[in-house]
Amino acid sequence: MSCLLFPPFVGFAALFAFLGLNDKIFPCITCNSLFHALFLLETQMVMGNSNFIRQKGNYEDLLCYKKSVCVYDITYFFAHKYLQKGDRTIDQMVQAARSGKQNIVEGCSASTTSAESEIKLLNVAKASLQELLEDYKDYLRVRGLQQWHEGSEKHEQARRVCAAHNEPGYYTDAIKERSDETIANIAIILIKQTDYLLKHYFDRVKQDFLENGGIREEMTRGRLQWRKDNDR
């Protein structure tokens, strides 16, 4: 910012007096650094307004995240126990499970400043989980194992259990003595539940964006409110 914004006869001493500052504490200050300092000061005051940029990013509270952690832990166990060493599907399944989990984390963490980034990352999470879902279905089909169909006794029992438990430790303990068919079906049910929760969270993010806008709108509202509160 140029010092020509001030009349040439206005010195730093007069400017400091206007601001209520002591010019002796800034013996080497330049015009550019002064304006930069004032900008940072005003920004900090605006940021202090509780209405400025609603804080988000608490991904650990999201049910879709909690279930994605369960999916990852089950997949890690399953892939390393039941797939042959050297099979590329091991890494593919583990990476798909990790991507589903991590993109929920990254999307939620980006939500405070970028709804666009959040939506994109949540889409990546959904796509990764769909890829993983197909891997489990393929495993069952090519080995002649049964995929539990919706409405069957096994499916409904597992669905209720999966809906009630979001703790990774519950599943890692339970699957140790289960067959590959059972574990794969549990993983499929959990993936579908995670996808369902992600869809609803995704819809909520889109609705929030339509109602409140993004970071530019929030910054504008915050700055206008600060100016109003400070009679600017």
Side-chain angles (χ1 to χ4, degrees), residues 119-152:
I119 289 170
K120 287 180 178 178
L121 289 164
L122 291 177
N123 269 324
V124 173
K126 283 175 63 66
S128 296
L129 290 173
Q130 287 301 311
E131 176 186 344
L132 181 62
L133 179 64
E134 285 301 306
D135 284 332
Y136 277 113
K137 288 181 178 180
D138 289 345
Y139 180 94
L140 293 172
R141 186 184 66 257
V142 300
R143 289 166 176 79
L145 301 175
Q146 182 184 14
Q147 180 181 339
W148 302 340
H149 296 291
E150 293 184 17
S152 67

Side-chain angles (χ1 to χ4, degrees), residues 56-60 62 103-112 118 121-122 201:
K56 306 176 185 177
N58 297 321
Y59 64 87
E60 291 181 333
L62 296 174
N103 278 287
I104 295 173
V105 173
E106 292 179 32
C108 194
S109 298
S111 63
T112 298
E118 182 179 20
L121 289 164
L122 291 177
Y201 178 59

Side-chain angles (χ1 to χ4, degrees), residues 3-212:
C3 62
L4 292 178
L5 291 176
F6 284 95
F9 55 83
V10 176
F12 283 118
L15 182 58
F16 288 148
F18 172 76
L19 295 171
L21 300 175
N22 183 351
D23 62 330
K24 292 182 181 180
I25 65 174
F26 298 111
C28 301
I29 195 167
T30 66
C31 195
N32 283 338
S33 61
L34 173 63
F35 284 123
H36 180 64
L38 292 175
F39 172 77
L40 291 177
L41 176 62
E42 184 172 359
T43 300
Q44 184 178 20
M45 294 176 71
V46 172
M47 291 287 285
N49 188 326
S50 61
N51 295 321
F52 180 73
I53 306 184
R54 292 164 297 130
Q55 295 301 304
K56 306 176 185 177
N58 297 321
Y59 64 87
E60 291 181 333
D61 295 333
L62 296 174
L63 278 178
C64 58
Y65 168 74
K66 293 178 180 179
K67 287 198 177 293
S68 72
V69 176
C70 298
V71 170
Y72 176 81
D73 288 4
I74 290 173
T75 300
Y76 188 91
F77 174 87
F78 179 88
H80 286 91
K81 181 172 183 178
Y82 292 108
L83 294 177
Q84 191 173 16
K85 187 175 181 181
D87 188 340
R88 291 178 58 190
T89 310
I90 295 175
D91 288 338
Q92 290 170 350
M93 291 184 70
V94 172
Q95 287 304 314
R98 182 182 184 278
S99 177
K101 177 174 70 72
Q102 293 301 110
N103 278 287
I104 295 173
V105 173
E106 292 179 32
C108 194
S109 298
S111 63
T112 298
T113 56
S114 177
E116 180 183 359
S117 294
E118 182 179 20
I119 289 170
K120 287 180 178 178
L121 289 164
L122 291 177
N123 269 324
V124 173
K126 283 175 63 66
S128 296
L129 290 173
Q130 287 301 311
E131 176 186 344
L132 181 62
L133 179 64
E134 285 301 306
D135 284 332
Y136 277 113
K137 288 181 178 180
D138 289 345
Y139 180 94
L140 293 172
R141 186 184 66 257
V142 300
R143 289 166 176 79
L145 301 175
Q146 182 184 14
Q147 180 181 339
W148 302 340
H149 296 291
E150 293 184 17
S152 67
E153 183 179 352
K154 287 183 177 180
H155 180 276
E156 292 307 301
Q157 182 181 359
R159 182 185 61 79
R160 288 191 295 269
V161 171
C162 290
H165 293 279
N166 303 310
E167 315 84 29
Y170 174 85
Y171 296 99
T172 53
D173 288 339
I175 62 178
K176 290 177 181 177
E177 305 301 326
R178 300 298 193 275
S179 67
D180 54 346
E181 179 182 293
T182 298
I183 298 172
N185 276 284
I186 290 172
I188 288 172
I189 291 170
L190 276 171
I191 292 170
K192 288 182 176 180
Q193 290 181 349
T194 306
D195 184 72
Y196 174 83
L197 292 167
L198 260 178
K199 180 184 182 301
H200 281 268
Y201 178 59
F202 184 81
D203 290 342
R204 193 176 73 193
V205 169
K206 290 194 294 183
Q207 186 62 34
D208 182 64
F209 178 77
L210 291 174
E211 293 177 358
N212 300 299

Side-chain angles (χ1 to χ4, degrees), residues 226-232:
W226 181 85
R227 285 180 174 274
K228 179 181 178 181
D229 294 343
N230 291 273
D231 297 322
R232 292 295 183 89

